[in-house]
Amino acid sequence: MRTPDRRTAGDGAAIHAQALSKAYGSGRGQVAAVQDVSLKVGEAEFLAILGPSGCGKTTLLRMVAGLERPTTGTVTCWGGPPAALARQHRIGMVFQDPALLPWASLRRNVEFVYRVAGRRPDSDRVEQALELVGLAGLAHLRPHQASGGMRQRTALARALVMEPSLLLMDEPFGALDAITRRRLNGELERIWSAVRPATILVTHSVEEAVLLADRVVVMSGRPATIVREITVPLPRPRPAPADDALRDAVRECLEALDG
Ligand SMILES: Nc1ncnc2c1ncn2[C@@H]1O[C@H](COP(=O)(O)OP(=O)(O)OP(=O)(O)O)[C@@H](O)[C@H]1O
């Protein structure tokens, strides 16, 4: 896969959010979703954002993606606005709902991003992405013939096929059963280590955050502010969940969430 553009904001950060705030609506009906959040994500760094339900995590991710305009503050991606990165198709996104085209095979769903970008599908890269997520040999299936885990693998292949510099994931495994989720966490760790885009994962799962991320940002209740940043100083591939260092990191996240 492609080596990411080495250009940074000048301070080593690929993503740089400065004093981001977002309020929806106005007057007495105004909802403050995010308040004064500053964070950096390095190239090839995996950052997880943890926080209570409704605190503003998705809003923060959408501002980084350029899908939501901050009320105040700025975001830069490799020194430019997120929209510029999006126009170059260098942002891959995965959501809780894989939102696949129901009439198209899993392979065609992955190819579809090329059509959206006005490019001819690169069949080698499509096959590579399908292989990476463990769907080689199954990509002829339609979404209704695939399991929830296979549909989410397809969404991941679709996000990775154009070799993004930035991967944004919002509760990608939130709708899956515990066993499938655990298996896909392990798979994602392997896949991410092979590709290493700058990554932000929004999750409710402390274990998922600690297993996958280099650094975990714990948010407060709404409006979301940063309560604590926890570095996960573990080698990859990550040890089994029973490992003491992993358990310590989980405990630290839980303490931060409990305030
Ligand atoms: N487009 C919108 N218009 C008005 N309010 C919004 C909009 N999007 C989000 N909100 C509000 O902003 C707050 C934060 O929402 P957001 O989806 O960012 O939280 P979250 O932490 O991702 O939630 P969850 O963990 O439940 O997915 C919520 O109170 C939500 O109702």
Side-chain angles (χ1 to χ4, degrees):
M1 296 240 163
R2 186 180 64 185
T3 308
D5 184 343
R6 290 286 143 198
R7 191 161 59 93
T8 67
D11 54 8
I15 311 302
H16 196 173
Q18 281 175 291
L20 277 186
S21 295
K22 176 73 187 180
Y24 293 105
S26 58
R28 290 175 63 188
Q30 191 176 67
V31 173
V34 173
Q35 192 170 298
D36 196 24
V37 169
S38 296
L39 56 84
K40 293 178 181 177
V41 186
E43 285 187 14
E45 184 181 24
F46 195 132
L47 181 85
I49 297 179
L50 257 182
S53 186
C55 75
K57 302 180 294 297
T58 296
T59 300
L60 178 58
L61 198 74
R62 286 175 59 81
M63 287 193 281
V64 172
L67 298 172
E68 201 76 68
R69 187 192 289 265
T71 306
T72 56
T74 56
V75 183
T76 56
C77 300
W78 279 268
L85 202 68
R87 273 197 300 277
Q88 295 164 21
H89 308 286
R90 288 172 58 204
I91 303 182
M93 298 195 71
V94 186
F95 302 98
Q96 183 167 330
D97 178 355
L100 302 177
L101 302 172
W103 62 86
S105 67
L106 303 183
R107 176 181 288 103
R108 288 238 179 280
N109 268 281
V110 176
E111 281 176 3
F112 190 68
V113 285
Y114 285 95
R115 302 196 191 283
V116 170
R119 298 186 197 168
R120 272 190 60 184
D122 180 327
S123 49
D124 286 348
R125 280 203 196 155
V126 170
E127 291 314 314
Q128 262 178 32
L130 289 166
E131 177 122 0
L132 191 65
V133 302
L135 282 177
L138 296 167
H140 59 284
L141 297 176
R142 302 261 179 89
H144 74 275
Q145 298 170 310
S147 66
M150 286 163 66
R151 287 196 285 270
Q152 218 42 318
R153 285 169 196 264
T154 307
L156 188 57
R158 185 180 56 190
L160 292 173
V161 70
M162 291 186 78
E163 301 178 327
S165 306
L166 174 60
L167 178 63
L168 300 176
M169 295 183 282
D170 192 352
E171 276 289 329
F173 308 133
L176 301 177
D177 65 88
I179 296 170
T180 307
R181 183 174 191 154
R182 200 167 188 173
R183 183 176 307 147
L184 278 181
N185 280 169
E187 292 270 307
L188 179 58
E189 211 260 320
R190 174 187 62 77
I191 291 165
W192 185 84
S193 296
V195 189
R196 289 185 172 260
T199 297
I200 304 178
L201 167 75
V202 163
T203 180
H204 291 119
S205 164
V206 177
E207 289 76 12
E208 184 169 276
V210 166
L211 182 72
L212 291 168
D214 299 310
R215 197 155 48 96
V216 181
V217 168
V218 180
M219 313 295 296
S220 67
R222 190 170 62 79
T225 58
I226 295 178
V227 177
R228 202 176 306 175
E229 290 191 29
I230 295 154
T231 300
V232 185
L234 292 170
R236 296 179 187 274
R238 286 283 156 89
D243 183 273
D244 282 348
L246 265 183
R247 281 210 295 243
D248 288 350
V250 166
R251 196 175 314 118
E252 202 180 337
C253 289
L254 287 171
E255 278 169 18
L257 278 171
D258 289 344

Short mmCIF file of all heavy atoms in Angstrom, two decimals, residues 132-134 138 147-150 152-153 156 173 176-192 208 211-212 241:
data_model
loop_
_atom_site.label_atom_id
_atom_site.label_comp_id
_atom_site.label_asym_id
_atom_site.label_seq_id
_atom_site.Cartn_x
_atom_site.Cartn_y
_atom_site.Cartn_z
N LEU A 132 -6.92 -8.40 2.40
CA LEU A 132 -6.48 -7.84 3.68
C LEU A 132 -7.54 -8.02 4.77
O LEU A 132 -7.22 -8.32 5.91
CB LEU A 132 -6.18 -6.34 3.49
CG LEU A 132 -5.47 -5.59 4.59
CD1 LEU A 132 -4.06 -6.12 4.80
CD2 LEU A 132 -5.42 -4.10 4.27
N VAL A 133 -8.81 -7.85 4.39
CA VAL A 133 -9.88 -7.95 5.40
C VAL A 133 -10.46 -9.36 5.49
O VAL A 133 -11.45 -9.59 6.19
CB VAL A 133 -11.02 -6.93 5.14
CG1 VAL A 133 -10.49 -5.51 5.11
CG2 VAL A 133 -11.77 -7.26 3.85
N GLY A 134 -9.85 -10.31 4.76
CA GLY A 134 -10.26 -11.71 4.88
C GLY A 134 -11.51 -12.06 4.08
O GLY A 134 -12.24 -12.98 4.46
N LEU A 138 -15.00 -14.70 -0.99
CA LEU A 138 -16.38 -14.47 -0.54
C LEU A 138 -16.99 -13.21 -1.14
O LEU A 138 -18.14 -12.86 -0.87
CB LEU A 138 -16.41 -14.33 0.99
CG LEU A 138 -15.98 -15.57 1.77
CD1 LEU A 138 -15.73 -15.23 3.23
CD2 LEU A 138 -17.07 -16.65 1.67
N SER A 147 -22.68 -12.13 6.56
CA SER A 147 -22.94 -11.90 8.00
C SER A 147 -22.64 -10.43 8.32
O SER A 147 -22.03 -9.71 7.52
CB SER A 147 -22.01 -12.79 8.83
OG SER A 147 -20.67 -12.38 8.62
N GLY A 148 -23.06 -10.01 9.53
CA GLY A 148 -22.78 -8.64 9.95
C GLY A 148 -21.28 -8.34 9.95
O GLY A 148 -20.83 -7.27 9.54
N GLY A 149 -20.49 -9.33 10.40
CA GLY A 149 -19.03 -9.15 10.42
C GLY A 149 -18.47 -9.01 9.01
O GLY A 149 -17.59 -8.18 8.77
N MET A 150 -19.00 -9.80 8.07
CA MET A 150 -18.53 -9.70 6.68
C MET A 150 -18.91 -8.36 6.07
O MET A 150 -18.14 -7.76 5.30
CB MET A 150 -19.11 -10.84 5.84
CG MET A 150 -18.46 -12.19 6.15
SD MET A 150 -19.46 -13.56 5.56
CE MET A 150 -19.41 -13.33 3.81
N GLN A 152 -19.18 -5.60 7.71
CA GLN A 152 -18.30 -4.57 8.27
C GLN A 152 -16.88 -4.70 7.71
O GLN A 152 -16.19 -3.71 7.53
CB GLN A 152 -18.35 -4.66 9.79
CG GLN A 152 -18.31 -3.37 10.55
CD GLN A 152 -19.16 -2.23 10.01
OE1 GLN A 152 -19.24 -1.98 8.82
NE2 GLN A 152 -19.76 -1.48 10.88
N ARG A 153 -16.45 -5.93 7.41
CA ARG A 153 -15.15 -6.11 6.73
C ARG A 153 -15.17 -5.44 5.36
O ARG A 153 -14.17 -4.85 4.93
CB ARG A 153 -14.86 -7.59 6.52
CG ARG A 153 -14.44 -8.35 7.75
CD ARG A 153 -14.46 -9.85 7.45
NE ARG A 153 -14.44 -10.62 8.66
CZ ARG A 153 -13.33 -11.12 9.22
NH1 ARG A 153 -12.19 -10.97 8.62
NH2 ARG A 153 -13.40 -11.79 10.34
N LEU A 156 -14.72 -1.85 5.75
CA LEU A 156 -13.31 -1.54 6.04
C LEU A 156 -12.48 -1.60 4.75
O LEU A 156 -11.64 -0.72 4.50
CB LEU A 156 -12.80 -2.53 7.09
CG LEU A 156 -11.43 -2.29 7.68
CD1 LEU A 156 -11.34 -0.90 8.33
CD2 LEU A 156 -11.09 -3.36 8.72
N PHE A 173 -17.81 -1.36 15.13
CA PHE A 173 -18.24 -2.71 15.51
C PHE A 173 -19.36 -2.67 16.54
O PHE A 173 -19.67 -3.68 17.17
CB PHE A 173 -17.04 -3.50 16.06
CG PHE A 173 -15.85 -3.49 15.12
CD1 PHE A 173 -14.57 -3.23 15.61
CD2 PHE A 173 -16.02 -3.74 13.77
CE1 PHE A 173 -13.48 -3.21 14.75
CE2 PHE A 173 -14.93 -3.72 12.90
CZ PHE A 173 -13.66 -3.46 13.39
N LEU A 176 -22.26 -5.21 16.34
CA LEU A 176 -21.95 -6.64 16.21
C LEU A 176 -22.03 -7.34 17.56
O LEU A 176 -21.87 -6.72 18.61
CB LEU A 176 -20.53 -6.80 15.64
CG LEU A 176 -20.28 -6.16 14.27
CD1 LEU A 176 -18.83 -6.34 13.86
CD2 LEU A 176 -21.20 -6.78 13.21
N ASP A 177 -22.24 -8.66 17.52
CA ASP A 177 -22.25 -9.42 18.76
C ASP A 177 -20.84 -9.46 19.35
O ASP A 177 -19.85 -9.19 18.65
CB ASP A 177 -22.77 -10.85 18.51
CG ASP A 177 -21.83 -11.62 17.61
OD1 ASP A 177 -20.89 -12.24 18.13
OD2 ASP A 177 -21.98 -11.56 16.37
N ALA A 178 -20.76 -9.78 20.65
CA ALA A 178 -19.49 -9.66 21.38
C ALA A 178 -18.39 -10.53 20.78
O ALA A 178 -17.22 -10.12 20.70
CB ALA A 178 -19.71 -10.01 22.84
N ILE A 179 -18.75 -11.74 20.32
CA ILE A 179 -17.72 -12.65 19.80
C ILE A 179 -17.16 -12.13 18.48
O ILE A 179 -15.95 -12.07 18.27
CB ILE A 179 -18.31 -14.07 19.61
CG1 ILE A 179 -18.71 -14.63 20.97
CG2 ILE A 179 -17.31 -15.00 18.93
CD1 ILE A 179 -19.53 -15.91 20.90
N THR A 180 -18.07 -11.69 17.58
CA THR A 180 -17.63 -11.16 16.29
C THR A 180 -16.81 -9.88 16.50
O THR A 180 -15.79 -9.65 15.85
CB THR A 180 -18.85 -10.86 15.39
OG1 THR A 180 -19.65 -12.03 15.33
CG2 THR A 180 -18.43 -10.46 14.00
N ARG A 181 -17.27 -9.05 17.44
CA ARG A 181 -16.58 -7.80 17.70
C ARG A 181 -15.15 -8.07 18.16
O ARG A 181 -14.19 -7.44 17.69
CB ARG A 181 -17.34 -7.03 18.77
CG ARG A 181 -16.73 -5.68 19.07
CD ARG A 181 -17.60 -4.89 20.02
NE ARG A 181 -17.13 -3.52 20.09
CZ ARG A 181 -17.90 -2.50 20.41
NH1 ARG A 181 -19.16 -2.65 20.66
NH2 ARG A 181 -17.39 -1.28 20.46
N ARG A 182 -15.00 -9.03 19.05
CA ARG A 182 -13.68 -9.36 19.58
C ARG A 182 -12.76 -9.86 18.46
O ARG A 182 -11.59 -9.47 18.37
CB ARG A 182 -13.85 -10.42 20.64
CG ARG A 182 -12.69 -10.49 21.55
CD ARG A 182 -13.05 -11.32 22.74
NE ARG A 182 -11.97 -11.21 23.69
CZ ARG A 182 -12.03 -11.70 24.89
NH1 ARG A 182 -13.11 -12.30 25.30
NH2 ARG A 182 -11.01 -11.59 25.69
N ARG A 183 -13.34 -10.71 17.60
CA ARG A 183 -12.54 -11.25 16.50
C ARG A 183 -12.12 -10.11 15.56
O ARG A 183 -10.97 -10.02 15.14
CB ARG A 183 -13.35 -12.31 15.73
CG ARG A 183 -12.52 -12.95 14.63
CD ARG A 183 -13.27 -14.06 13.94
NE ARG A 183 -13.79 -15.06 14.86
CZ ARG A 183 -14.93 -15.73 14.68
NH1 ARG A 183 -15.65 -15.51 13.62
NH2 ARG A 183 -15.32 -16.62 15.55
N LEU A 184 -13.06 -9.22 15.27
CA LEU A 184 -12.74 -8.13 14.33
C LEU A 184 -11.77 -7.12 14.95
O LEU A 184 -10.98 -6.51 14.23
CB LEU A 184 -14.02 -7.43 13.86
CG LEU A 184 -14.71 -8.16 12.71
CD1 LEU A 184 -15.97 -7.42 12.26
CD2 LEU A 184 -13.79 -8.33 11.52
N ASN A 185 -11.80 -6.97 16.26
CA ASN A 185 -10.79 -6.11 16.91
C ASN A 185 -9.39 -6.64 16.63
O ASN A 185 -8.49 -5.88 16.27
CB ASN A 185 -11.01 -6.07 18.43
CG ASN A 185 -12.10 -5.11 18.86
OD1 ASN A 185 -12.52 -5.13 19.99
ND2 ASN A 185 -12.57 -4.29 17.96
N GLY A 186 -9.22 -7.97 16.79
CA GLY A 186 -7.92 -8.58 16.53
C GLY A 186 -7.53 -8.42 15.06
O GLY A 186 -6.39 -8.11 14.74
N GLU A 187 -8.52 -8.60 14.17
CA GLU A 187 -8.26 -8.46 12.73
C GLU A 187 -7.87 -7.03 12.41
O GLU A 187 -6.95 -6.78 11.62
CB GLU A 187 -9.53 -8.80 11.95
CG GLU A 187 -9.91 -10.24 12.04
CD GLU A 187 -9.29 -11.03 10.92
OE1 GLU A 187 -9.46 -10.65 9.78
OE2 GLU A 187 -8.61 -12.02 11.22
N LEU A 188 -8.59 -6.08 13.01
CA LEU A 188 -8.30 -4.66 12.71
C LEU A 188 -6.90 -4.30 13.18
O LEU A 188 -6.18 -3.56 12.49
CB LEU A 188 -9.35 -3.75 13.37
CG LEU A 188 -9.12 -2.25 13.15
CD1 LEU A 188 -9.09 -1.89 11.65
CD2 LEU A 188 -10.21 -1.43 13.84
N GLU A 189 -6.49 -4.86 14.30
CA GLU A 189 -5.14 -4.59 14.80
C GLU A 189 -4.10 -5.08 13.78
O GLU A 189 -3.14 -4.38 13.45
CB GLU A 189 -4.96 -5.27 16.16
CG GLU A 189 -4.01 -4.54 17.09
CD GLU A 189 -2.63 -5.16 17.11
OE1 GLU A 189 -2.53 -6.39 17.09
OE2 GLU A 189 -1.66 -4.40 17.13
N ARG A 190 -4.34 -6.27 13.24
CA ARG A 190 -3.43 -6.83 12.23
C ARG A 190 -3.46 -5.98 10.94
O ARG A 190 -2.41 -5.61 10.40
CB ARG A 190 -3.84 -8.27 11.92
CG ARG A 190 -3.08 -8.93 10.79
CD ARG A 190 -3.65 -10.29 10.43
NE ARG A 190 -5.02 -10.27 9.94
CZ ARG A 190 -5.39 -9.89 8.71
NH1 ARG A 190 -4.49 -9.49 7.84
NH2 ARG A 190 -6.66 -9.90 8.35
N ILE A 191 -4.66 -5.65 10.50
CA ILE A 191 -4.81 -4.88 9.25
C ILE A 191 -4.17 -3.51 9.40
O ILE A 191 -3.42 -3.05 8.54
CB ILE A 191 -6.32 -4.74 8.89
CG1 ILE A 191 -6.88 -6.10 8.51
CG2 ILE A 191 -6.54 -3.72 7.79
CD1 ILE A 191 -8.41 -6.16 8.50
N TRP A 192 -4.46 -2.86 10.53
CA TRP A 192 -3.93 -1.51 10.73
C TRP A 192 -2.40 -1.54 10.76
O TRP A 192 -1.75 -0.66 10.18
CB TRP A 192 -4.48 -0.89 12.02
CG TRP A 192 -4.04 0.52 12.14
CD1 TRP A 192 -4.63 1.62 11.59
CD2 TRP A 192 -2.87 0.99 12.81
NE1 TRP A 192 -3.91 2.74 11.87
CE2 TRP A 192 -2.82 2.38 12.63
CE3 TRP A 192 -1.86 0.38 13.56
CZ2 TRP A 192 -1.80 3.17 13.16
CZ3 TRP A 192 -0.85 1.16 14.08
CH2 TRP A 192 -0.82 2.53 13.88
N GLU A 208 -11.74 -2.20 23.64
CA GLU A 208 -11.45 -2.01 22.21
C GLU A 208 -10.45 -0.86 22.03
O GLU A 208 -9.48 -0.97 21.27
CB GLU A 208 -12.77 -1.67 21.50
CG GLU A 208 -12.67 -1.53 20.00
CD GLU A 208 -14.07 -1.46 19.40
OE1 GLU A 208 -14.67 -2.52 19.18
OE2 GLU A 208 -14.57 -0.34 19.16
N LEU A 211 -6.96 -2.01 23.25
CA LEU A 211 -6.37 -3.05 22.40
C LEU A 211 -5.84 -2.46 21.10
O LEU A 211 -4.81 -2.89 20.59
CB LEU A 211 -7.43 -4.12 22.10
CG LEU A 211 -6.91 -5.29 21.27
CD1 LEU A 211 -6.00 -6.17 22.12
CD2 LEU A 211 -8.06 -6.13 20.72
N LEU A 212 -6.55 -1.45 20.57
CA LEU A 212 -6.22 -0.98 19.22
C LEU A 212 -5.33 0.26 19.19
O LEU A 212 -4.52 0.42 18.27
CB LEU A 212 -7.52 -0.67 18.46
CG LEU A 212 -8.37 -1.89 18.11
CD1 LEU A 212 -9.75 -1.46 17.62
CD2 LEU A 212 -7.66 -2.73 17.05
N PRO A 241 -5.86 -10.00 25.92
CA PRO A 241 -6.53 -9.08 26.85
C PRO A 241 -6.18 -9.31 28.31
O PRO A 241 -6.31 -8.41 29.13
CB PRO A 241 -8.02 -9.34 26.58
CG PRO A 241 -8.07 -9.88 25.20
CD PRO A 241 -6.79 -10.62 24.99
#
